Amino acid sequence: MTAPSRTVAPAGRPAIRLTVVPTPQPPLEPRPALRLVDLGRPIPSAVPRPGPRPRLLSTATPRDEFGPVLSSRAELPLATEAARRLVTTALEALVGRRPLAQVRPLTTAGVYAALSAGRRPRWCAEGNAPLVIGRVRVCEPVDGVAEISAVAHRGGRAHAVAARLEGIDGHWRCTALQIG
């Protein structure tokens, strides 16, 4: 279905014909995604879903049956506090001011294995200058995910820290950590 067209003719120029064509629009009601079983995990999307997630009908919790469950933003503590705690704990452990085991509850198994592999940035291993952590910035691009960045100062030099936190079982866990 097209809109009626009209003719526009500026002075001294040939007539220009303007035709308005309607843009195809998505359906008014969202189509439900085809899912065989709802495990209580959130559907990844750029827009947070309203309302609570559906739960399993059995008496066992999803964690008991299927392992870790992703958490929505409403089920998690403040991301800024978790981000500051992670950056401080991880850097102090790498510098040698606290045991590396204190980082374990804040990270996934893969990140903890990478930290405990023994390879530390040279600026962490050398010298005894104080470690100063600047402002920690947090961005939440998707429900249950936080991306953080910070700058650590030691010995007159600045070093970048970036991490990705995901809500797992009601707690923020670091799934990726980059220290420059």
Side-chain angles (χ1 to χ4, degrees), residues 9 15 17 26 32-33 42 60 65 72 85-86 101 107 135 146 172:
R17 187 176 181 130
E65 293 180 9
S72 69
R85 182 175 173 215
L86 169 75
T107 62
R135 183 175 173 200
W172 289 109

Side-chain angles (χ1 to χ4, degrees), residues 9-121:
R13 296 193 176 200
I16 299 173
R17 187 176 181 130
L18 176 67
T19 304
V20 179
V21 179
T23 307
Q25 299 293 322
L28 295 177
E29 296 182 14
R31 296 179 187 155
L34 179 62
R35 298 179 77 176
L36 298 177
V37 179
D38 187 359
L39 301 178
R41 295 188 175 136
I43 299 171
S45 75
V47 179
R49 294 187 324 167
R53 294 181 294 150
R55 298 285 181 194
L56 294 174
L57 298 177
S58 67
T59 57
T61 63
R63 183 177 186 186
D64 296 337
E65 293 180 9
F66 301 107
V69 175
L70 298 177
S71 301
S72 69
R73 179 69 188 102
E75 301 168 336
L76 297 166
L78 289 176
T80 54
E81 294 173 4
R84 170 64 95 180
R85 182 175 173 215
L86 169 75
V87 170
T88 303
T89 306
L91 290 179
E92 287 181 354
L94 288 174
V95 168
R97 300 226 168 111
R98 67 170 64 215
L100 190 60
Q102 291 183 4
V103 180
R104 181 177 289 185
L106 306 175
T107 62
T108 58
V111 172
Y112 182 75
L115 287 173
S116 61
R119 292 179 284 133
R120 298 188 295 172

